[in-house]
Amino acid sequence: MSVNMTKGQAISLQKGDGGSLTAVRMGLGWQAAPRRGLFGSRTREIDLDASAVLFADKQPVDVVFFRHLVSDDGSVRHTGDNLVGGVGQGGDDEAILVDLARIPVHIDQIVFTVNSFTGQTFQEVQNAFCRLVDETNGQELARYTLAGGGSYTAQIMAKVHRTGPGWTMTALGSQANGRTFQDLMPAILPHL
């Protein structure tokens, strides 16, 4: 059963039987919002990009995004860049796969971001979400709807962080501005 998360809400990534999830997918989906014009409504393609920044003791040590699809240790993988969104019709337009069992012990947090590479604001985006899926069986565990309508170009979506022997996901939903994950680093740091 999936949990509809709210900003700031956290869920444990422990299974009901006491075991831990071993592999998860952070999916991102979106559509371009129709704009009313002189000749009716139309949409403009929106290029949102999902990134995962890996941290060790609040220091960025690796990143996975459309130009670096696999983390240096191979535990985090981006499935590829989607330049327009909406092709999944409610499914994932971009996804980042995380093999929790393979993440090196010094990595304690992974922060997921989304940014408008082409600079459009979220006023031009609708039906945007991120979701966490158990990659072993395809079951959606949690979904966080990204608030739209703002004049910002990015969001710090969520983070997965170590809690004792397991992992927890926290929905962040923090608005930011930037075209790349590098631009977002000052906005990410307060969430660590």
Side-chain angles (χ1 to χ4, degrees), residues 109-178:
Q109 298 185 69
I110 302 171
V111 177
F112 297 93
T113 66
V114 57
N115 55 272
S116 173
F117 187 73
T118 47
Q120 291 114 324
T121 68
F122 272 71
Q123 291 171 324
E124 298 179 62
V125 176
Q126 69 180 10
N127 301 326
F129 65 87
C130 70
R131 68 187 192 128
L132 189 72
V133 176
D134 181 343
E135 194 61 15
T136 62
N137 62 16
Q139 179 183 359
E140 181 176 294
L141 304 169
R143 178 177 289 256
Y144 178 62
T145 301
L146 302 175
S151 60
Y152 50 91
T153 60
Q155 279 198 27
I156 315 304
M157 292 189 298
K159 71 177 179 177
V160 173
H161 50 101
R162 289 188 193 270
T163 49
W167 293 87
T168 297
M169 176 189 164
T170 302
L172 300 172
S174 179
Q175 301 169 359
N177 283 296

Side-chain angles (χ1 to χ4, degrees), residues 26-53:
M26 179 64 73
L28 169 67
W30 73 92
Q31 294 175 327
R35 296 187 331 194
R36 300 241 181 257
L38 186 59
F39 301 106
S41 65
R42 58 190 166 92
T43 58
R44 183 174 157 200
E45 293 179 347
I46 306 280
D47 180 10
L48 296 185
D49 290 320
S51 302
V53 185

Side-chain angles (χ1 to χ4, degrees), residues 51-70:
S51 302
V53 185
L54 289 71
F55 288 89
D57 196 30
K58 298 186 179 185
Q59 296 298 316
V61 294
D62 201 354
V63 66
V64 174
F65 69 116
F66 70 93
R67 289 189 179 145
H68 185 245
L69 294 176
V70 181

Side-chain angles (χ1 to χ4, degrees), residues 3-11 143-144 168-172:
V3 174
N4 283 322
M5 298 183 73
T6 58
K7 185 175 180 174
Q9 184 178 4
I11 62 164
R143 178 177 289 256
Y144 178 62
T168 297
M169 176 189 164
T170 302
L172 300 172

